[in-house]
Amino acid sequence: DSVIVKSPRKSPVFLRTIVLLFGIVCGIYICTVCLRQINTVSKIKTQNLQVIESPSPDSNILAQLEARIPTLHYPKPQTFSRGECIQNPVRFFAILSMQRSGSGWFETLLNSHINISSNGEIFCAMDRRKNISTIMQTLDRVYKLDWFNSASKNECSAAVGFKWMLNQGLIEYHKEIVEYFNYRGVSVVFLFRRNLLRRMVSLLANSHDRYAKLLNGTHKSHVHSQEEAAALSSYKPIINSTSLISDLREVEMDAVKALEYFNSTRHMVVHYEDLITNNTKLNDVQEFLGLPRKELTSRQVKIHKGPLSDFVKNWDDVIKTLNGTQYERFLQADY
């Protein structure tokens, strides 16, 4: 018997050709997808590089955020060892103000914080501000933690500073001081009074007490009892109504000038009246210094509490002088 073998319907060469074409198509597709992914990644990298090299206007937001963060320092004092607190960061600050603006009271509030050492009015002594060299030497001692007084918390202080009056060399050497503050990362707290007339009354009364010494023959700029406050407020100064407006304007311009000179520093502005009427302002100060919020307290008692008319001898003259001027608002009670 003969065996009949049927030939295949399709040639093997044809099938192999189809498989080859299919493989080529798949390969082309895969290569295309890969190329697209590579191009996408390249574009992203290029865009990132462009953003870094040519920052957009939105980059100012980053600068503003950085300006809100206090600089950290790790000082190495020469007079003692920080011991276990050597790794604890320290913030530097300075309170810029004018006499009788509440800076003494404000500083006692700050010093009630366990982490803050505010060293008082260190530039009241002439020998520390006779020239820019002595000023810089004094600043270095404070910020190296080598300045000692009753407010110093020494090795474990987390914020170190002092208060500086505008008439204590601050304006005279403002360029060098601004450069120092920016280089050392010193945060500035401006403390002003809105009611400059109240400040004037406080200034005149305090100047009188330097000589009169109403408290048992002693002079006190700040008191801690209602009895002492009543004794000091019993004196009613006479305000020079002839020069009153020019005097108020001069003080106002001093504050404006200080803000202008120190505008490039990291700073905040605090008003005495806001500290009295708004408890959250102290929280803002603590946040500005980069410290944990604590309840701040002071033993100081306000001396002139109540309407100004109770503390000025020639009040009628003051009213006539300020009525209809930009300073008329000072006649009203503000707290």
Side-chain angles (χ1 to χ4, degrees):
D1 297 334
S2 60
V3 179
I4 300 174
V5 179
K6 296 182 178 179
S7 59
R9 295 180 180 179
K10 294 183 179 179
S11 170
V13 177
F14 178 74
L15 293 175
R16 291 173 183 170
T17 303
I18 293 176
V19 172
L20 179 61
L21 291 174
F22 180 77
I24 292 172
V25 171
C26 290
I28 293 173
Y29 175 77
I30 292 172
C31 290
T32 303
V33 172
C34 290
L35 287 173
R36 287 178 179 175
Q37 291 179 347
I38 292 173
N39 289 335
T40 302
V41 173
S42 298
K43 289 180 179 179
I44 293 173
K45 289 182 176 180
T46 301
Q47 291 174 354
N48 289 339
L49 289 174
Q50 289 175 348
V51 169
I52 294 173
E53 293 175 357
S54 301
S56 65
D58 293 338
S59 65
N60 292 331
I61 297 176
L62 180 60
Q64 293 172 4
L65 291 174
E66 290 177 348
R68 295 174 58 186
I69 303 173
T71 304
L72 300 181
H73 305 273
Y74 298 87
K76 297 179 180 179
Q78 297 179 355
T79 52
F80 70 96
S81 172
R82 295 191 69 203
E84 63 182 7
C85 295
I86 193 170
Q87 297 299 326
N88 291 3
V90 180
R91 284 85 169 174
F92 298 160
F93 69 91
I95 305 166
L96 308 190
S97 186
M98 292 183 280
Q99 285 84 356
R100 312 311 295 178
S101 296
S103 61
W105 170 68
F106 178 63
E107 194 172 41
T108 59
L109 288 170
L110 293 184
N111 278 322
S112 70
H113 195 295
I114 192 172
N115 300 120
I116 300 179
S117 294
S118 192
N119 293 282
E121 196 173 325
I122 62 176
F123 285 110
C124 61
M126 282 294 299
D127 60 326
R128 298 171 190 160
R129 54 182 168 96
K130 59 184 178 182
N131 54 52
I132 190 60
S133 297
T134 57
I135 288 176
M136 294 302 176
Q137 291 169 9
T138 304
L139 291 175
D140 284 341
R141 284 183 59 193
V142 172
Y143 295 128
K144 287 180 181 178
L145 305 186
D146 285 322
W147 190 275
F148 297 103
N149 61 20
S150 59
S152 302
K153 297 181 175 66
N154 296 334
E155 63 271 7
C156 289
S157 295
V160 175
F162 62 98
K163 62 177 182 176
W164 199 345
M165 301 298 105
L166 301 188
N167 61 353
Q168 295 174 348
L170 191 64
I171 301 300
E172 182 180 358
Y173 300 105
H174 69 273
K175 291 182 180 179
E176 295 87 349
I177 296 168
V178 166
E179 184 178 351
Y180 181 94
F181 280 0
N182 287 330
Y183 173 73
R184 295 297 301 271
V186 178
S187 299
V188 173
V189 179
F190 286 102
L191 177 62
F192 296 129
R193 291 186 81 152
R194 284 197 178 93
N195 194 326
L196 301 180
L197 184 61
R198 278 191 176 272
R199 175 185 175 272
M200 181 179 291
V201 170
S202 180
L203 194 65
L204 292 172
N206 186 64
S207 297
H208 171 77
D209 188 63
R210 287 182 184 275
Y211 303 98
K213 298 180 180 179
L214 299 176
L215 297 176
N216 299 322
T218 60
H219 167 64
K220 290 186 178 181
S221 296
H222 308 98
V223 297
H224 300 95
S225 71
Q226 295 293 344
E227 292 75 18
E228 291 177 325
L232 292 182
S233 63
S234 63
Y235 170 73
K236 296 184 178 183
I238 297 176
I239 294 179
N240 186 342
S241 57
T242 304
S243 62
L244 178 56
I245 292 180
S246 61
D247 291 341
L248 292 174
R249 184 180 295 113
E250 182 179 354
V251 175
E252 192 175 50
M253 292 309 299
D254 286 343
V256 171
K257 191 184 299 182
L259 288 170
E260 179 183 350
Y261 287 159
F262 288 84
N263 184 53
S264 63
T265 63
R266 180 180 182 271
H267 66 274
M268 73 176 299
V269 179
V270 181
H271 289 96
Y272 173 74
E273 290 83 356
D274 293 338
L275 291 174
I276 291 179
T277 59
N278 189 347
N279 294 330
T280 63
K281 283 299 177 181
L282 288 175
N283 292 334
D284 295 342
V285 174
Q286 294 177 75
E287 182 179 351
F288 175 73
L289 296 177
L291 297 173
R293 292 182 181 179
K294 302 289 183 181
E295 184 179 352
L296 306 182
T297 59
S298 173
R299 292 177 54 242
Q300 284 193 15
V301 176
K302 184 171 176 55
I303 297 174
H304 297 95
K305 188 175 182 180
L308 269 177
S309 56
D310 294 343
F311 307 111
V312 179
K313 195 168 186 178
N314 59 332
W315 183 246
D316 291 338
D317 294 337
V318 172
I319 291 177
K320 292 177 182 178
T321 303
L322 296 186
N323 269 340
T325 70
Q326 58 181 323
Y327 303 117
E328 183 179 3
R329 64 186 186 279
F330 294 160
L331 299 172
Q332 307 299 322
D334 45 14
Y335 49 83

